[in-house]
Amino acid sequence: MSWIIVTGIAYFLTAVNSVIDKYLLNKSIPEPVTYAFYVGVFSIFTLALTPFGFHWPGIWQFIAAILTGTIFLLALISLYTALKADEASRVFAFVGGLSPVLIIIFSAILFDKVLLRHEYYAFLFLVAGSILISFRKSKECGIFELRKHQCVQSMEMALFASVFFALYFVFAKYIFENQEFLSGFVWTRIGIFAAAVLLLVVPENRRIIFATSKKMTSGTGGLFVFNKTMAGTATLAINYAIKVAPSSSAAIVNALEGVKYIFILIITYFISKKMPHIIEEQTSVPALTQKIFAIVFIFIGIFILIAYR
């Protein structure tokens, strides 16, 4: 049960992080590649953990860790690009619903991992709750308007994000089963940093990153550092949960992301009236009913996980 608690705390931090991310992407750092670049560069500070456990894992484990970190950065770029092109609720619904399913498929194909029966039921409730609580019909991208360029780009990038996040969770579980946790975690962060630096090899990326960086203020930089410190703590906790969770439960750790939406609802309830530009929330009776049902699904999934531990 401890890994479930750790995951819950981590997703609370990611909820706060998501609110700040939304603000920064909309107002201060509008280019997804720039935002992802700084997230990747900031990952190098996990080297501060090396005194507590860090060693050479061997060439193949090193390659696996660097590749895993690279996949994570690609997932971030895809996610930020999708968020830039479309509404956050639509993107998170797509990614949050598809990623756990892809984790099961990739785990079965690559590592012959399957969910236990009670975990499968919990997984269904958690994914259903995640989709329901984050779904909102887009005014710009209706069902019959998917041919619009912006909508197509959003769904394509959301699909890429789902695939990359699923691959990250599967390979991260593999790394943590074959390396000491802190050492494996640091190596994957080095992979993220290396991939971020490689973004500068592409001239267009350099132009965008440098141009956006010049417009950043000290206040923006301070908020970004605080936000990424919090995000790093949450990521460490989530990766620890992946490490200690049963080998078949990487998908459950990912599906528990639905808890994040509960925290987002609570946070935005208190700040939406004063800062509605950060996250827009629907407060009509149908929307609130939808969210209540989604929360019920999520808590049923959590109860199933706890009851059968």
Side-chain angles (χ1 to χ4, degrees):
M1 187 172 67
S2 61
W3 65 270
I4 299 175
I5 295 174
V6 170
T7 304
I9 294 173
Y11 281 129
F12 168 74
L13 295 177
T14 61
V16 179
N17 174 252
S18 297
V19 174
I20 299 176
D21 276 345
K22 181 67 175 177
Y23 172 77
L24 290 174
L25 280 168
N26 284 347
K27 300 296 181 180
S28 304
I29 312 177
E31 294 294 341
V33 68
T34 303
Y35 202 83
F37 170 77
Y38 281 110
V39 170
V41 169
F42 199 76
S43 297
I44 198 64
F45 289 104
T46 54
L47 289 176
L49 298 173
T50 55
F52 304 100
F54 183 70
H55 59 82
W56 174 248
I59 185 62
W60 294 115
Q61 284 296 315
F62 166 77
I63 293 174
I66 299 301
L67 176 62
T68 300
T70 302
I71 290 172
F72 185 75
L73 187 73
L74 292 173
L76 290 181
I77 294 174
S78 301
L79 177 64
Y80 295 151
T81 304
L83 286 173
K84 186 68 177 176
D86 204 348
E87 296 178 354
S89 58
R90 179 184 177 89
V91 173
F92 279 124
F94 189 90
V95 176
L98 182 59
S99 293
V101 177
L102 293 175
I103 287 174
I104 291 179
I105 295 174
F106 293 151
S107 295
I109 294 174
L110 299 174
F111 302 111
D112 195 28
K113 303 289 186 182
V114 295
L115 290 174
L116 302 176
R117 179 175 296 180
H118 73 276
E119 292 175 328
Y120 176 75
Y121 294 141
F123 165 79
L124 291 179
F125 278 108
L126 289 166
V127 172
S130 299
I131 294 174
L132 187 59
I133 202 169
S134 59
F135 177 78
R136 181 178 63 191
K137 185 178 179 180
S138 170
K139 296 179 181 178
E140 291 79 17
C141 301
I143 294 175
F144 300 105
E145 300 174 358
L146 289 179
R147 292 184 180 181
K148 288 184 178 180
H149 173 72
Q150 184 179 15
C151 302
V152 172
Q153 180 189 29
S154 171
M155 299 310 293
E156 286 178 348
M157 298 311 297
L159 175 61
F160 283 129
S162 301
V163 172
F164 288 136
F165 276 123
L167 286 172
Y168 169 76
F169 269 83
V170 171
F171 283 116
K173 182 63 180 177
Y174 166 76
I175 288 171
F176 297 144
E177 286 180 342
N178 291 275
Q179 297 185 37
E180 294 180 6
F181 172 68
L182 279 180
S183 183
F185 180 77
V186 172
W187 279 116
T188 58
R189 300 308 102 174
I190 292 174
I192 297 173
F193 172 79
V197 173
L198 286 176
L199 288 175
L200 297 175
V201 172
V202 181
E204 180 63 15
N205 287 342
R206 284 202 309 274
R207 185 191 65 78
I208 293 173
I209 292 170
F210 292 153
T212 309
S213 299
K214 292 178 181 179
K215 299 178 182 179
M216 291 176 58
T217 64
S218 58
T220 297
L223 181 60
F224 178 84
V225 170
F226 168 78
N227 194 38
K228 291 307 117 184
T229 299
M230 182 170 53
T233 303
T235 301
L236 180 64
I238 291 172
N239 280 271
Y240 176 75
I242 295 174
K243 167 68 175 180
V244 300
S247 60
S248 60
S249 298
I252 294 294
V253 173
N254 183 265
L256 273 169
E257 187 174 2
V259 176
K260 178 176 73 175
Y261 298 111
I262 298 175
F263 292 134
I264 288 177
L265 285 176
I266 296 172
I267 295 170
T268 54
Y269 175 81
F270 290 103
I271 68 172
S272 59
K273 291 184 179 180
K274 293 184 178 181
M275 294 180 287
H277 56 283
I278 293 179
I279 288 184
E280 180 184 353
E281 288 294 327
Q282 293 180 331
T283 57
S284 64
V285 173
L288 291 176
T289 301
Q290 167 192 327
K291 293 169 185 176
I292 290 172
F293 274 108
I295 290 173
V296 170
F297 285 160
I298 290 170
F299 276 111
I300 290 175
I302 294 173
F303 175 79
I304 293 173
L305 281 179
I306 296 175
Y308 285 89
R309 298 316 304 164

